[in-house]
Amino acid sequence: MKYIKGVLLCFALMFFFHINAQNRSINGNVKQSGDGKSVSGVSVIVKGTNIGTITDAEGAFQLDIPQTAQALVFSFVGLKTVVVPASSDNFDIILFPDYIGISEIVTTGYSNRGRNEITGSTVQVNGKVVANVPVTSVDQALQGKVPGLVVTAPSGTPGTMQDIRIRGVGSITASNQPLFVIDGVPVINADFTGEV
């Protein structure tokens, strides 16, 4: 009986050591280029598997990976994905910003189009252009900044709502009123003066 218990114990120890021999522990830190600040929440995945973790508040991570792991994938929103060989046990990773070509996209009303798909004229007014202009409303700030935009006041009363027309005063099938979209929200009432 003691002999059987001893054999079972040996098999259990061999199995335990065999399982542990298949994995190895790695650790490291992830920082952002430029300022060198630690990046928390970076996804660290063994390439081709679902084994992974994320970095903590200090940008550090610790992970048990299989001995057969070939590469690690580091990814984070707004930063370029990095793939490194899993040949070391300690990693110091630097992630670089991933810039998206926003200037290549034009928002027309409620849809997005590439610049090469737009046949008409589009104008983008940057917030920096109108930031320090001493005016009382948005329509006054746009006057003179957009080609073809005509802003007129129907009366001389201060604070009166102004008429805004783009490229002419006549339209056969639609309104000449511009569509203002501020932070993705369309402005339904074009009266920027605050009158009730």
Side-chain angles (χ1 to χ4, degrees), residues 8 12 24 28 50 61-62 91 94 99 119 121-122 129 132 138 170 173 186-187:
L8 290 175
R24 64 186 174 97
N50 58 358
F61 70 93
Q62 190 276 329
F91 295 87
I94 297 176
Y99 296 109
T119 57
S121 175
T122 60
V129 175
N132 296 320
V138 175
T173 60
V187 177

Side-chain angles (χ1 to χ4, degrees), residues 15 24 26 31 59 66 85 96 99 118 140 149 157:
F15 180 74
R24 64 186 174 97
I26 62 169
K31 297 182 179 179
F96 293 88
Y99 296 109
I118 301 294
Q140 291 175 359
L149 178 70
T157 306

Side-chain angles (χ1 to χ4, degrees), residues 17-120:
F17 288 123
H18 178 70
I19 293 296
N20 280 346
Q22 291 179 350
N23 290 336
R24 64 186 174 97
S25 181
I26 62 169
N27 58 53
N29 289 294
V30 180
K31 297 182 179 179
Q32 187 172 349
S33 68
D35 56 8
K37 289 184 179 178
S38 298
V39 185
S40 64
V42 175
S43 174
V44 183
I45 303 289
V46 177
K47 188 174 183 180
T49 70
N50 58 358
I51 300 170
T53 186
I54 60 171
T55 58
D56 61 15
E58 286 78 33
F61 70 93
Q62 190 276 329
L63 180 64
D64 291 331
I65 65 172
Q67 291 285 352
T68 58
Q70 299 294 318
L72 298 173
V73 180
F74 296 83
S75 60
F76 190 75
V77 176
L79 299 174
K80 291 184 180 178
T81 300
V82 174
V83 179
V84 296
S87 56
S88 175
D89 290 338
N90 192 0
F91 295 87
D92 288 319
I93 305 298
I94 297 176
L95 298 180
F96 293 88
D98 189 12
Y99 296 109
I100 301 172
I102 298 297
S103 61
E104 301 297 324
I105 302 293
V106 177
T107 300
T108 56
Y110 297 104
S111 63
N112 293 329
R113 296 281 185 268
R115 274 198 185 274
N116 57 349
E117 298 174 341
I118 301 294
T119 57

